[in-house]
Each structure stands twice: as structure tokens, then as C-alpha cells.
PDB file of all heavy atoms in Angstrom:
ATOM      1  N   ILE A   1      64.948 179.600  72.089  1.00  0.00           N
ATOM      2  CA  ILE A   1      64.314 178.492  71.368  1.00  0.00           C
ATOM      3  C   ILE A   1      62.870 178.316  71.806  1.00  0.00           C
ATOM      4  O   ILE A   1      61.984 178.113  70.975  1.00  0.00           O
ATOM      5  CB  ILE A   1      65.105 177.176  71.568  1.00  0.00           C
ATOM      6  CG1 ILE A   1      66.477 177.300  70.911  1.00  0.00           C
ATOM      7  CG2 ILE A   1      64.341 175.987  70.989  1.00  0.00           C
ATOM      8  CD1 ILE A   1      67.430 176.164  71.238  1.00  0.00           C
ATOM      9  N   ILE A   2      62.621 178.370  73.108  1.00  0.00           N
ATOM     10  CA  ILE A   2      61.260 178.177  73.605  1.00  0.00           C
ATOM     11  C   ILE A   2      60.991 179.100  74.784  1.00  0.00           C
ATOM     12  O   ILE A   2      61.706 179.093  75.775  1.00  0.00           O
ATOM     13  CB  ILE A   2      60.972 176.700  73.958  1.00  0.00           C
ATOM     14  CG1 ILE A   2      59.498 176.515  74.270  1.00  0.00           C
ATOM     15  CG2 ILE A   2      61.868 176.207  75.062  1.00  0.00           C
ATOM     16  CD1 ILE A   2      59.032 175.083  74.164  1.00  0.00           C
ATOM     17  N   LYS A   3      59.969 179.912  74.645  1.00  0.00           N
ATOM     18  CA  LYS A   3      59.571 180.874  75.668  1.00  0.00           C
ATOM     19  C   LYS A   3      58.670 180.202  76.702  1.00  0.00           C
ATOM     20  O   LYS A   3      58.065 179.161  76.449  1.00  0.00           O
ATOM     21  CB  LYS A   3      58.835 182.050  75.027  1.00  0.00           C
ATOM     22  CG  LYS A   3      59.628 182.800  73.968  1.00  0.00           C
ATOM     23  CD  LYS A   3      60.742 183.602  74.576  1.00  0.00           C
ATOM     24  CE  LYS A   3      61.362 184.586  73.633  1.00  0.00           C
ATOM     25  NZ  LYS A   3      62.445 184.119  72.848  1.00  0.00           N
ATOM     26  N   PRO A   4      58.547 180.793  77.882  1.00  0.00           N
ATOM     27  CA  PRO A   4      57.754 180.192  78.959  1.00  0.00           C
ATOM     28  C   PRO A   4      56.299 179.899  78.601  1.00  0.00           C
ATOM     29  O   PRO A   4      55.768 178.845  78.973  1.00  0.00           O
ATOM     30  CB  PRO A   4      57.834 181.232  80.076  1.00  0.00           C
ATOM     31  CG  PRO A   4      59.092 181.966  79.819  1.00  0.00           C
ATOM     32  CD  PRO A   4      59.242 181.992  78.332  1.00  0.00           C
ATOM     33  N   GLY A   5      55.641 180.805  77.890  1.00  0.00           N
ATOM     34  CA  GLY A   5      54.240 180.575  77.531  1.00  0.00           C
ATOM     35  C   GLY A   5      54.067 179.328  76.678  1.00  0.00           C
ATOM     36  O   GLY A   5      53.145 178.530  76.889  1.00  0.00           O
ATOM     37  N   GLU A   6      54.965 179.160  75.743  1.00  0.00           N
ATOM     38  CA  GLU A   6      54.932 177.991  74.869  1.00  0.00           C
ATOM     39  C   GLU A   6      55.263 176.721  75.653  1.00  0.00           C
ATOM     40  O   GLU A   6      54.628 175.680  75.477  1.00  0.00           O
ATOM     41  CB  GLU A   6      55.946 178.208  73.741  1.00  0.00           C
ATOM     42  CG  GLU A   6      55.884 177.228  72.628  1.00  0.00           C
ATOM     43  CD  GLU A   6      56.886 177.534  71.528  1.00  0.00           C
ATOM     44  OE1 GLU A   6      57.645 178.533  71.626  1.00  0.00           O
ATOM     45  OE2 GLU A   6      56.915 176.756  70.566  1.00  0.00           O
ATOM     46  N   LEU A   7      56.227 176.823  76.546  1.00  0.00           N
ATOM     47  CA  LEU A   7      56.617 175.674  77.361  1.00  0.00           C
ATOM     48  C   LEU A   7      55.497 175.295  78.330  1.00  0.00           C
ATOM     49  O   LEU A   7      55.238 174.113  78.557  1.00  0.00           O
ATOM     50  CB  LEU A   7      57.901 175.997  78.128  1.00  0.00           C
ATOM     51  CG  LEU A   7      58.648 174.851  78.790  1.00  0.00           C
ATOM     52  CD1 LEU A   7      58.969 173.758  77.772  1.00  0.00           C
ATOM     53  CD2 LEU A   7      59.925 175.364  79.422  1.00  0.00           C
ATOM     54  N   ARG A   8      54.805 176.298  78.826  1.00  0.00           N
ATOM     55  CA  ARG A   8      53.686 176.036  79.744  1.00  0.00           C
ATOM     56  C   ARG A   8      52.598 175.222  79.058  1.00  0.00           C
ATOM     57  O   ARG A   8      51.977 174.352  79.659  1.00  0.00           O
ATOM     58  CB  ARG A   8      53.122 177.352  80.256  1.00  0.00           C
ATOM     59  CG  ARG A   8      52.042 177.180  81.293  1.00  0.00           C
ATOM     60  CD  ARG A   8      51.484 178.495  81.729  1.00  0.00           C
ATOM     61  NE  ARG A   8      50.566 178.310  82.843  1.00  0.00           N
ATOM     62  CZ  ARG A   8      49.604 179.157  83.129  1.00  0.00           C
ATOM     63  NH1 ARG A   8      49.444 180.261  82.415  1.00  0.00           N
ATOM     64  NH2 ARG A   8      48.807 178.924  84.149  1.00  0.00           N
ATOM     65  N   GLU A   9      52.343 175.511  77.785  1.00  0.00           N
ATOM     66  CA  GLU A   9      51.342 174.761  77.028  1.00  0.00           C
ATOM     67  C   GLU A   9      51.728 173.292  76.873  1.00  0.00           C
ATOM     68  O   GLU A   9      50.868 172.443  76.670  1.00  0.00           O
ATOM     69  CB  GLU A   9      51.133 175.384  75.651  1.00  0.00           C
ATOM     70  CG  GLU A   9      50.449 176.736  75.693  1.00  0.00           C
ATOM     71  CD  GLU A   9      50.352 177.392  74.324  1.00  0.00           C
ATOM     72  OE1 GLU A   9      50.641 176.718  73.302  1.00  0.00           O
ATOM     73  OE2 GLU A   9      50.006 178.573  74.278  1.00  0.00           O
ATOM     74  N   LEU A  10      53.012 172.994  76.964  1.00  0.00           N
ATOM     75  CA  LEU A  10      53.493 171.619  76.814  1.00  0.00           C
ATOM     76  C   LEU A  10      53.566 170.865  78.143  1.00  0.00           C
ATOM     77  O   LEU A  10      53.895 169.685  78.158  1.00  0.00           O
ATOM     78  CB  LEU A  10      54.875 171.628  76.152  1.00  0.00           C
ATOM     79  CG  LEU A  10      54.929 172.217  74.743  1.00  0.00           C
ATOM     80  CD1 LEU A  10      56.367 172.287  74.252  1.00  0.00           C
ATOM     81  CD2 LEU A  10      54.070 171.412  73.798  1.00  0.00           C
ATOM     82  N   PHE A  11      53.242 171.539  79.235  1.00  0.00           N
ATOM     83  CA  PHE A  11      53.368 170.905  80.539  1.00  0.00           C
ATOM     84  C   PHE A  11      52.548 169.619  80.632  1.00  0.00           C
ATOM     85  O   PHE A  11      53.086 168.560  80.961  1.00  0.00           O
ATOM     86  CB  PHE A  11      52.960 171.876  81.658  1.00  0.00           C
ATOM     87  CG  PHE A  11      52.925 171.222  83.011  1.00  0.00           C
ATOM     88  CD1 PHE A  11      54.101 170.870  83.655  1.00  0.00           C
ATOM     89  CD2 PHE A  11      51.716 170.942  83.635  1.00  0.00           C
ATOM     90  CE1 PHE A  11      54.077 170.254  84.905  1.00  0.00           C
ATOM     91  CE2 PHE A  11      51.683 170.330  84.878  1.00  0.00           C
ATOM     92  CZ  PHE A  11      52.863 169.995  85.516  1.00  0.00           C
ATOM     93  N   PHE A  12      51.257 169.684  80.347  1.00  0.00           N
ATOM     94  CA  PHE A  12      50.422 168.489  80.511  1.00  0.00           C
ATOM     95  C   PHE A  12      50.821 167.343  79.586  1.00  0.00           C
ATOM     96  O   PHE A  12      50.930 166.208  80.039  1.00  0.00           O
ATOM     97  CB  PHE A  12      48.940 168.831  80.391  1.00  0.00           C
ATOM     98  CG  PHE A  12      48.420 169.488  81.631  1.00  0.00           C
ATOM     99  CD1 PHE A  12      48.071 170.822  81.628  1.00  0.00           C
ATOM    100  CD2 PHE A  12      48.310 168.789  82.820  1.00  0.00           C
ATOM    101  CE1 PHE A  12      47.617 171.443  82.775  1.00  0.00           C
ATOM    102  CE2 PHE A  12      47.857 169.392  83.976  1.00  0.00           C
ATOM    103  CZ  PHE A  12      47.506 170.728  83.958  1.00  0.00           C
ATOM    104  N   PRO A  13      51.078 167.577  78.313  1.00  0.00           N
ATOM    105  CA  PRO A  13      51.468 166.428  77.492  1.00  0.00           C
ATOM    106  C   PRO A  13      52.888 165.905  77.745  1.00  0.00           C
ATOM    107  O   PRO A  13      53.168 164.738  77.512  1.00  0.00           O
ATOM    108  CB  PRO A  13      51.337 166.938  76.058  1.00  0.00           C
ATOM    109  CG  PRO A  13      51.334 168.410  76.134  1.00  0.00           C
ATOM    110  CD  PRO A  13      50.847 168.769  77.498  1.00  0.00           C
ATOM    111  N   TYR A  14      53.803 166.757  78.250  1.00  0.00           N
ATOM    112  CA  TYR A  14      55.206 166.353  78.337  1.00  0.00           C
ATOM    113  C   TYR A  14      55.740 166.166  79.754  1.00  0.00           C
ATOM    114  O   TYR A  14      56.826 165.621  79.930  1.00  0.00           O
ATOM    115  CB  TYR A  14      56.101 167.387  77.644  1.00  0.00           C
ATOM    116  CG  TYR A  14      56.006 167.404  76.137  1.00  0.00           C
ATOM    117  CD1 TYR A  14      55.132 166.592  75.431  1.00  0.00           C
ATOM    118  CD2 TYR A  14      56.805 168.262  75.398  1.00  0.00           C
ATOM    119  CE1 TYR A  14      55.051 166.630  74.052  1.00  0.00           C
ATOM    120  CE2 TYR A  14      56.739 168.296  74.017  1.00  0.00           C
ATOM    121  CZ  TYR A  14      55.859 167.479  73.357  1.00  0.00           C
ATOM    122  OH  TYR A  14      55.793 167.512  71.991  1.00  0.00           O
ATOM    123  N   HIS A  15      55.048 166.613  80.792  1.00  0.00           N
ATOM    124  CA  HIS A  15      55.650 166.605  82.129  1.00  0.00           C
ATOM    125  C   HIS A  15      55.922 165.202  82.675  1.00  0.00           C
ATOM    126  O   HIS A  15      56.784 165.033  83.522  1.00  0.00           O
ATOM    127  CB  HIS A  15      54.804 167.400  83.130  1.00  0.00           C
ATOM    128  CG  HIS A  15      53.609 166.671  83.647  1.00  0.00           C
ATOM    129  ND1 HIS A  15      52.440 166.587  82.938  1.00  0.00           N
ATOM    130  CD2 HIS A  15      53.417 165.994  84.805  1.00  0.00           C
ATOM    131  CE1 HIS A  15      51.565 165.886  83.643  1.00  0.00           C
ATOM    132  NE2 HIS A  15      52.125 165.511  84.778  1.00  0.00           N
ATOM    133  N   SER A  16      55.228 164.207  82.154  1.00  0.00           N
ATOM    134  CA  SER A  16      55.465 162.844  82.650  1.00  0.00           C
ATOM    135  C   SER A  16      56.523 162.098  81.834  1.00  0.00           C
ATOM    136  O   SER A  16      56.897 160.988  82.180  1.00  0.00           O
ATOM    137  CB  SER A  16      54.153 162.050  82.662  1.00  0.00           C
ATOM    138  OG  SER A  16      53.633 161.961  81.360  1.00  0.00           O
ATOM    139  N   LEU A  17      57.017 162.726  80.779  1.00  0.00           N
ATOM    140  CA  LEU A  17      58.079 162.122  79.971  1.00  0.00           C
ATOM    141  C   LEU A  17      59.439 162.305  80.646  1.00  0.00           C
ATOM    142  O   LEU A  17      59.624 163.211  81.458  1.00  0.00           O
ATOM    143  CB  LEU A  17      58.150 162.791  78.592  1.00  0.00           C
ATOM    144  CG  LEU A  17      56.984 162.626  77.643  1.00  0.00           C
ATOM    145  CD1 LEU A  17      57.221 163.461  76.395  1.00  0.00           C
ATOM    146  CD2 LEU A  17      56.791 161.174  77.273  1.00  0.00           C
ATOM    147  N   ASP A  18      60.378 161.466  80.274  1.00  0.00           N
ATOM    148  CA  ASP A  18      61.762 161.698  80.649  1.00  0.00           C
ATOM    149  C   ASP A  18      62.154 163.075  80.123  1.00  0.00           C
ATOM    150  O   ASP A  18      61.754 163.465  79.018  1.00  0.00           O
ATOM    151  CB  ASP A  18      62.642 160.606  80.019  1.00  0.00           C
ATOM    152  CG  ASP A  18      64.106 160.883  80.213  1.00  0.00           C
ATOM    153  OD1 ASP A  18      64.585 160.751  81.347  1.00  0.00           O
ATOM    154  OD2 ASP A  18      64.763 161.248  79.205  1.00  0.00           O
ATOM    155  N   THR A  19      62.909 163.829  80.909  1.00  0.00           N
ATOM    156  CA  THR A  19      63.245 165.203  80.531  1.00  0.00           C
ATOM    157  C   THR A  19      63.956 165.262  79.181  1.00  0.00           C
ATOM    158  O   THR A  19      63.652 166.115  78.349  1.00  0.00           O
ATOM    159  CB  THR A  19      64.112 165.862  81.617  1.00  0.00           C
ATOM    160  OG1 THR A  19      63.476 165.664  82.887  1.00  0.00           O
ATOM    161  CG2 THR A  19      64.272 167.337  81.365  1.00  0.00           C
ATOM    162  N   GLY A  20      64.890 164.364  78.948  1.00  0.00           N
ATOM    163  CA  GLY A  20      65.596 164.327  77.659  1.00  0.00           C
ATOM    164  C   GLY A  20      64.649 164.065  76.501  1.00  0.00           C
ATOM    165  O   GLY A  20      64.762 164.675  75.439  1.00  0.00           O
ATOM    166  N   ALA A  21      63.685 163.163  76.704  1.00  0.00           N
ATOM    167  CA  ALA A  21      62.701 162.862  75.655  1.00  0.00           C
ATOM    168  C   ALA A  21      61.809 164.067  75.387  1.00  0.00           C
ATOM    169  O   ALA A  21      61.464 164.351  74.230  1.00  0.00           O
ATOM    170  CB  ALA A  21      61.854 161.658  76.059  1.00  0.00           C
ATOM    171  N   ALA A  22      61.436 164.795  76.432  1.00  0.00           N
ATOM    172  CA  ALA A  22      60.612 165.996  76.252  1.00  0.00           C
ATOM    173  C   ALA A  22      61.358 167.036  75.416  1.00  0.00           C
ATOM    174  O   ALA A  22      60.777 167.640  74.505  1.00  0.00           O
ATOM    175  CB  ALA A  22      60.223 166.574  77.610  1.00  0.00           C
ATOM    176  N   ILE A  23      62.635 167.217  75.706  1.00  0.00           N
ATOM    177  CA  ILE A  23      63.442 168.179  74.945  1.00  0.00           C
ATOM    178  C   ILE A  23      63.544 167.746  73.483  1.00  0.00           C
ATOM    179  O   ILE A  23      63.406 168.561  72.571  1.00  0.00           O
ATOM    180  CB  ILE A  23      64.838 168.348  75.580  1.00  0.00           C
ATOM    181  CG1 ILE A  23      64.709 168.998  76.957  1.00  0.00           C
ATOM    182  CG2 ILE A  23      65.766 169.150  74.673  1.00  0.00           C
ATOM    183  CD1 ILE A  23      65.962 168.928  77.805  1.00  0.00           C
ATOM    184  N   GLU A  24      63.793 166.464  73.263  1.00  0.00           N
ATOM    185  CA  GLU A  24      63.877 165.959  71.889  1.00  0.00           C
ATOM    186  C   GLU A  24      62.570 166.190  71.133  1.00  0.00           C
ATOM    187  O   GLU A  24      62.581 166.560  69.961  1.00  0.00           O
ATOM    188  CB  GLU A  24      64.235 164.479  71.896  1.00  0.00           C
ATOM    189  CG  GLU A  24      65.677 164.218  72.296  1.00  0.00           C
ATOM    190  CD  GLU A  24      66.001 162.737  72.470  1.00  0.00           C
ATOM    191  OE1 GLU A  24      65.158 161.881  72.113  1.00  0.00           O
ATOM    192  OE2 GLU A  24      67.097 162.440  72.968  1.00  0.00           O
ATOM    193  N   ARG A  25      61.446 165.990  71.788  1.00  0.00           N
ATOM    194  CA  ARG A  25      60.150 166.228  71.135  1.00  0.00           C
ATOM    195  C   ARG A  25      59.950 167.704  70.819  1.00  0.00           C
ATOM    196  O   ARG A  25      59.396 168.053  69.779  1.00  0.00           O
ATOM    197  CB  ARG A  25      59.005 165.724  72.005  1.00  0.00           C
ATOM    198  CG  ARG A  25      58.910 164.225  71.996  1.00  0.00           C
ATOM    199  CD  ARG A  25      57.632 163.760  72.594  1.00  0.00           C
ATOM    200  NE  ARG A  25      57.573 162.310  72.543  1.00  0.00           N
ATOM    201  CZ  ARG A  25      56.532 161.615  72.931  1.00  0.00           C
ATOM    202  NH1 ARG A  25      55.461 162.228  73.380  1.00  0.00           N
ATOM    203  NH2 ARG A  25      56.547 160.313  72.861  1.00  0.00           N
ATOM    204  N   ILE A  26      60.377 168.563  71.717  1.00  0.00           N
ATOM    205  CA  ILE A  26      60.265 170.000  71.462  1.00  0.00           C
ATOM    206  C   ILE A  26      61.111 170.379  70.250  1.00  0.00           C
ATOM    207  O   ILE A  26      60.655 171.090  69.350  1.00  0.00           O
ATOM    208  CB  ILE A  26      60.689 170.814  72.706  1.00  0.00           C
ATOM    209  CG1 ILE A  26      59.670 170.624  73.833  1.00  0.00           C
ATOM    210  CG2 ILE A  26      60.837 172.292  72.361  1.00  0.00           C
ATOM    211  CD1 ILE A  26      60.140 171.127  75.188  1.00  0.00           C
ATOM    212  N   LEU A  27      62.350 169.896  70.223  1.00  0.00           N
ATOM    213  CA  LEU A  27      63.230 170.195  69.087  1.00  0.00           C
ATOM    214  C   LEU A  27      62.653 169.637  67.786  1.00  0.00           C
ATOM    215  O   LEU A  27      62.703 170.291  66.743  1.00  0.00           O
ATOM    216  CB  LEU A  27      64.624 169.622  69.340  1.00  0.00           C
ATOM    217  CG  LEU A  27      65.454 170.340  70.405  1.00  0.00           C
ATOM    218  CD1 LEU A  27      66.704 169.536  70.738  1.00  0.00           C
ATOM    219  CD2 LEU A  27      65.816 171.742  69.955  1.00  0.00           C
ATOM    220  N   GLU A  28      62.103 168.431  67.857  1.00  0.00           N
ATOM    221  CA  GLU A  28      61.504 167.811  66.679  1.00  0.00           C
ATOM    222  C   GLU A  28      60.296 168.618  66.194  1.00  0.00           C
ATOM    223  O   GLU A  28      60.152 168.859  64.998  1.00  0.00           O
ATOM    224  CB  GLU A  28      61.074 166.391  67.035  1.00  0.00           C
ATOM    225  CG  GLU A  28      60.514 165.600  65.867  1.00  0.00           C
ATOM    226  CD  GLU A  28      60.133 164.193  66.300  1.00  0.00           C
ATOM    227  OE1 GLU A  28      60.975 163.506  66.915  1.00  0.00           O
ATOM    228  OE2 GLU A  28      58.986 163.799  66.027  1.00  0.00           O
ATOM    229  N   ALA A  29      59.451 169.065  67.117  1.00  0.00           N
ATOM    230  CA  ALA A  29      58.270 169.846  66.754  1.00  0.00           C
ATOM    231  C   ALA A  29      58.667 171.182  66.138  1.00  0.00           C
ATOM    232  O   ALA A  29      57.967 171.705  65.265  1.00  0.00           O
ATOM    233  CB  ALA A  29      57.391 170.077  67.978  1.00  0.00           C
ATOM    234  N   LYS A  30      59.786 171.736  66.563  1.00  0.00           N
ATOM    235  CA  LYS A  30      60.272 172.996  66.018  1.00  0.00           C
ATOM    236  C   LYS A  30      61.164 172.783  64.795  1.00  0.00           C
ATOM    237  O   LYS A  30      61.707 173.737  64.255  1.00  0.00           O
ATOM    238  CB  LYS A  30      61.025 173.781  67.093  1.00  0.00           C
ATOM    239  CG  LYS A  30      60.115 174.289  68.186  1.00  0.00           C
ATOM    240  CD  LYS A  30      60.909 175.087  69.175  1.00  0.00           C
ATOM    241  CE  LYS A  30      60.038 176.002  69.956  1.00  0.00           C
ATOM    242  NZ  LYS A  30      59.475 177.112  69.232  1.00  0.00           N
TER     243      LYS A  30
END
């Protein structure tokens, strides 16, 4: 679903979110 390079790009905007919320946003964006 999400490769490391793509996930790395999301580190700064998502790393301070709750982990579940970050996953939901990734799924929503995809």
C-alpha cells in the first residue's frame, strides 16, 4: 500500500499525529 520513500515524505506532516489518524489520512489520500 505504501512504500518507504512515500512514507518518508509524510514524516513531517504526519509524525505528530496519533498513529491511527495518520494511517486513516494515508488511506484517505490513496
